[in-house]
Amino acid sequence: MTLIKSISGIRGTIGGPVDDNLTPIDAVKFAAAYGTWLKQQRQKDNYIVVVGRDARISGEMIQNLVMNTLVGLGIHVIDLGLSTTPTVEIAVPLEHADGGIILTASHNPKEWNALKLLNAKGEFLNGAEGQKILEIAESNTMNFAEVDDLGKITVNDAYIDIHIDEVLDLELVNVQAIKDANFKVVVDGVNSTGGIAIPLLLERLGVEPVKLYCDPTGHFPHNPEPLKEHLGDLAKAVVKEHADFGIVVDPDVDRLAFMDETGEMFGEEYTLVACADYVLSKTPGNTVSNMSSTRALRDVTEKHGGTYEASAVGEVNVVTLMKKNNVVIGGEGNGGIIYPDSHYGRDALVGVALFLSLLAEKKMKVSELRASYPNYFMSKKKIQLTPGLDVDGILSTMESNYSHEKLTTIDGVKIDFSDSWVHLRKSNTEPIIRIYTEAPSQEAADTLADRFIAEIKAIANI
């Protein structure tokens, strides 16, 4: 069992001992630390926090603990109930709230849950802010409100509809073209809140949704990470239903992947590539993704006359660089679309609407669209290390060994070769080095990863 405390929030498995797993006491402590931090940001009479959750079995329990802890601090809560991460992000500024909390462990299995923390803009906290909350939690210096100053909980279950309205109002979402195309789409909602939000969005766009695992029970029918090896049922349903394509999201609906009409994956990395292709064709500009994302985004950006730059891994790092470069679209290669005209957060609903607009205007099959993009293949592996091993020293040695190549060292070491790249980075939560590679073929990507695994093992004497 596991409890991971990091600057991006707290996540862990449900049950077990305090401080080892995500227990009710841990949930209360970190919610109290977050509320305390919010109140330290500015002095005012009323504080508001928006809270929502995915459909995990533990979600209602954790949400009630978190909301009532905030109430105990004298903070008013807007309860969105079953929601999505991007929906909560949108609700925070619309409610003029001081922050937001999403109860979700994203793509992790059902025994996990987490508190994801937002600022007053509805964006994830930066490293310094997250560190301060961890310090408050460990200090036990939280000061709760007296009885006459307790907060109140207000239920608002309209925000998924409001979120959909916001998406449909985006200038580049071609609602009429989508309706005219008469698409039929299979949706795998992994029995979480994507099973609510995505079909509703499709219906508003005149798309016929075929629901697969769209009952928000929290009993995930397969591993909830939207990867090819987990999506056999979706592939079968797309072919059986003669659908135009398939959609799959993770439990909190910030990651998005597509499946073509033959039951083959469009490629999670290519979700952002396709959406960027569409946006750049309408509003030329620059793009950003993280260092472990496909080179195809750079190629598509340059095709449209823009400039691409990579950030360190992590949504907050992507958003920071997007703002600095004033980009028109960005995100992460794991299927995360960040479209600033909507908001600075990964949003599968926005991604679906942009992808449908592209498909409707091009009048192409999804397989044909995928074939129109540069073809890269990725390998993602890791090396388990002995605890206490000098991981930074190992990466420094790799940097020295490849100093003659194009290097980026803002997050581990990324080495760019002429037709491929490798990214080596340490985990912040466990003694491993992650190895990401990309090359013109799967065999080449796997071979490159194995080569660097061997080199790291030689340096580490393992």
Side-chain angles (χ1 to χ4, degrees):
M1 307 299 273
T2 309
L3 180 67
I4 300 171
K5 307 169 187 176
S6 73
I7 57 174
S8 60
I10 176 175
R11 63 188 174 100
T13 48
I14 298 298
V18 175
D19 283 331
D20 284 340
N21 303 337
L22 183 55
T23 69
I25 291 173
D26 295 296
V28 167
K29 180 168 70 172
F30 281 89
Y34 171 71
T36 299
W37 173 80
L38 276 185
K39 294 175 74 173
Q40 291 174 352
Q41 303 311 297
R42 50 185 172 170
Q43 296 298 315
K44 51 189 294 194
D45 292 331
N46 294 299
Y47 299 87
I48 300 173
V49 172
V50 177
V51 181
R53 63 182 173 91
D54 70 15
R56 288 170 188 275
I57 299 167
S58 62
E60 186 174 7
M61 174 194 72
I62 297 295
Q63 183 175 2
N64 284 329
L65 289 165
V66 166
M67 291 194 303
N68 283 294
T69 299
L70 296 173
V71 166
L73 286 164
I75 295 172
H76 302 302
V77 174
I78 307 295
D79 173 13
L80 304 193
L82 286 173
S83 192
T84 77
T85 287
T87 303
V88 177
E89 291 170 345
I90 282 175
V92 169
L94 289 177
E95 290 289 337
H96 305 288
D98 300 282
I101 301 178
I102 307 132
L103 291 316
T104 175
S106 191
H107 62 275
N108 290 115
K110 68 177 183 179
E111 63 269 21
W112 287 78
N113 214 327
L115 281 67
K116 290 186 177 182
L117 310 176
L118 304 175
N119 62 22
K121 296 179 181 179
E123 299 168 14
F124 286 112
L125 306 186
N126 63 35
E129 293 165 337
Q131 183 59 44
K132 181 62 178 177
I133 290 168
L134 291 176
E135 291 170 1
I136 293 171
E138 295 306 315
S139 70
N140 283 322
T141 56
M142 291 78 87
N143 187 20
F144 289 86
E146 296 181 5
V147 68
D148 291 329
D149 299 319
L150 297 175
K152 292 181 174 60
I153 298 174
T154 302
V155 176
N156 188 333
D157 59 4
Y159 261 100
I160 287 180
D161 289 323
I162 293 171
H163 186 178
I164 291 171
D165 289 339
E166 294 275 317
V167 172
L168 298 182
D169 284 342
L170 292 170
E171 183 178 352
L172 293 193
V173 175
N174 194 336
V175 176
Q176 192 57 53
I178 296 169
K179 288 182 176 179
D180 291 344
N182 294 314
F183 290 119
K184 181 180 183 181
V185 178
V186 180
V187 180
D188 182 348
V190 72
N191 284 344
S192 190
T193 50
I196 301 171
I198 300 298
L200 285 174
L201 171 66
L202 295 177
E203 288 168 357
R204 293 281 300 278
L205 287 166
V207 176
E208 179 186 350
V210 178
K211 298 180 183 180
L212 177 69
Y213 306 133
C214 286
D215 188 11
T217 63
H219 292 282
F220 304 146
H222 54 74
N223 185 309
E225 189 166 12
L227 301 177
K228 178 179 180 179
E229 55 266 32
H230 307 148
L231 302 174
D233 289 349
L234 177 60
K236 292 176 184 176
V238 167
V239 173
K240 178 183 176 182
E241 294 288 340
H242 302 288
D244 293 286
F245 64 99
I247 294 172
V248 61
V249 293
D250 66 340
D252 68 324
V253 204
D254 61 1
R255 288 176 62 174
L256 170 66
F258 299 112
M259 183 170 283
D260 74 19
E261 74 282 357
T262 71
E264 290 296 318
M265 291 300 294
F266 187 77
E268 192 182 29
E269 289 284 332
Y270 283 80
T271 300
L272 176 56
V273 174
C275 291
D277 185 26
Y278 177 68
V279 170
L280 292 168
S281 72
K282 306 290 185 180
T283 52
N286 304 324
T287 64
V288 163
S289 65
N290 70 38
M291 292 170 61
S292 294
S293 299
T294 180
R295 192 179 275 186
L297 180 62
R298 180 204 65 182
D299 296 348
V300 166
T301 304
E302 292 176 352
K303 179 188 77 172
H304 289 287
T307 300
Y308 165 79
E309 188 173 354
S311 77
V313 174
E315 183 172 328
V316 66
N317 298 316
V318 175
V319 167
T320 298
L321 189 58
M322 286 179 67
K323 291 179 177 179
K324 177 184 175 184
N325 292 1
N326 195 30
V327 308
V328 294
I329 189 170
E332 297 186 294
N334 59 11
I337 305 298
I338 303 176
Y339 185 46
D341 279 8
S342 176
H343 64 116
Y344 279 103
R346 294 182 300 173
D347 191 332
L349 279 75
V350 169
V352 166
L354 294 175
F355 186 82
L356 283 166
S357 298
L358 171 66
L359 208 59
E361 291 189 11
K362 283 188 173 287
K363 296 181 170 61
M364 300 172 69
K365 293 182 178 180
V366 172
S367 60
E368 294 170 339
L369 179 65
R370 176 62 183 83
S372 71
Y373 295 125
N375 217 16
Y376 294 106
F377 296 83
M378 294 189 73
S379 177
K380 301 179 182 182
K381 299 186 179 184
K382 61 184 179 181
I383 303 174
Q384 191 73 36
L385 302 174
T386 304
L389 202 63
D390 183 9
V391 179
D392 290 325
I394 294 171
L395 294 178
S396 179
T397 300
M398 294 298 294
E399 180 182 349
S400 298
N401 290 349
Y402 287 89
S403 59
H404 56 287
E405 301 286 355
K406 181 182 178 182
L407 298 178
T408 308
T409 56
I410 58 172
D411 183 4
V413 179
K414 184 174 183 179
I415 308 163
D416 271 294
F417 302 106
S418 60
D419 65 347
S420 60
W421 55 259
V422 59
H423 183 198
L424 313 170
R425 63 187 299 267
K426 68 177 182 178
S427 169
N428 294 322
T429 57
E430 51 185 326
I432 63 172
I433 291 179
R434 301 187 186 278
I435 301 97
Y436 304 90
T437 61
E438 185 174 66
S441 71
Q442 191 61 58
E443 181 181 6
D446 291 337
T447 299
L448 186 62
D450 291 339
R451 168 186 147 191
F452 275 86
I453 288 172
E455 290 186 27
I456 291 170
K457 287 183 174 180
I459 294 170
N461 293 314
I462 56 175

